[in-house]
């Protein structure tokens, strides 16, 4: 069973930056796609970004050009660099691995506990 632990969330002003990290343990990290999702109060969990085992990346239109996903297989860690943050980016951010359907669908088998990101005006 894989364990995922997010870190790096916090409070930032609009226009600022944060980098989220997700450390994985429990199995071979490099073989699996990794995704970032977010959930704001009263809203459904939505796709943010994902990276395949080959390094191919995928982004939601709302974050394209502002967020960058990357992975360091030697450290079993996936990152989400978030720049030009907006108040609408406020949410709990979750990392996930082992997608059961498409890489952009929140149907992953394993999830972290989430980290809060709050963007103030």
């Amino acid at each position: 069973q894989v364990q995922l632990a997010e870190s790096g969330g916090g409070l930032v002003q609009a226009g600022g930056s944060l980098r989220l990290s997700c450390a994985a343990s429990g199995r071979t990290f490099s073989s699996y796609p990794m995704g970032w999702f977010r959930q704001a109060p009263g809203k459904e969990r939505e796709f943010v970004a994902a990276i395949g085992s080959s390094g191919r990346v995928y982004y939601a239109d709302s974050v394209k050009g502002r967020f960058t996903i990357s992975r360091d297989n030697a450290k079993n860690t996936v990152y989400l660099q978030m720049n030009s943050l907006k108040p609408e980016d406020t949410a709990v951010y979750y990392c996930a691995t082992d997608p059961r359907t498409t890489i952009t669908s929140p149907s992953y088998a394993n999830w972290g506990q989430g980290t809060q990101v709050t963007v103030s005006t």
Side-chain angles (χ1 to χ4, degrees):
Q1 183 72 14
V2 64
Q3 291 83 43
L4 302 173
E6 302 97 335
S7 62
L11 173 64
V12 64
Q13 289 189 330
S17 299
L18 282 174
R19 188 176 81 155
L20 305 183
S21 301
C22 174
S25 61
R27 68 176 187 196
T28 304
F29 173 79
S30 60
S31 301
Y32 294 86
M34 299 293 296
W36 284 99
F37 292 78
R38 65 187 181 187
Q39 189 166 19
K43 295 187 176 181
E44 293 186 353
R45 191 167 297 188
E46 66 174 2
F47 170 74
V48 175
I51 185 166
S53 56
S54 64
R56 181 176 180 180
V57 296
Y58 307 78
Y59 294 100
D61 287 343
S62 59
V63 307
K64 204 170 292 184
R66 300 188 297 124
F67 290 11
T68 302
I69 188 171
S70 61
R71 65 191 300 162
D72 185 335
N73 291 333
K75 295 183 178 180
N76 286 359
T77 301
V78 62
Y79 303 98
L80 186 68
Q81 177 66 44
M82 306 186 295
N83 298 328
S84 302
L85 283 161
K86 305 175 181 180
E88 51 264 43
D89 294 318
T90 295
V92 178
Y93 283 70
Y94 299 89
C95 71
T97 188
D98 193 8
R100 294 299 175 86
T101 56
T102 66
I103 202 170
T104 60
S105 171
S107 62
Y108 287 55
N110 299 289
W111 294 84
Q113 81 287 352
T115 185
Q116 176 71 46
V117 171
T118 303
V119 184
S120 63
T121 55

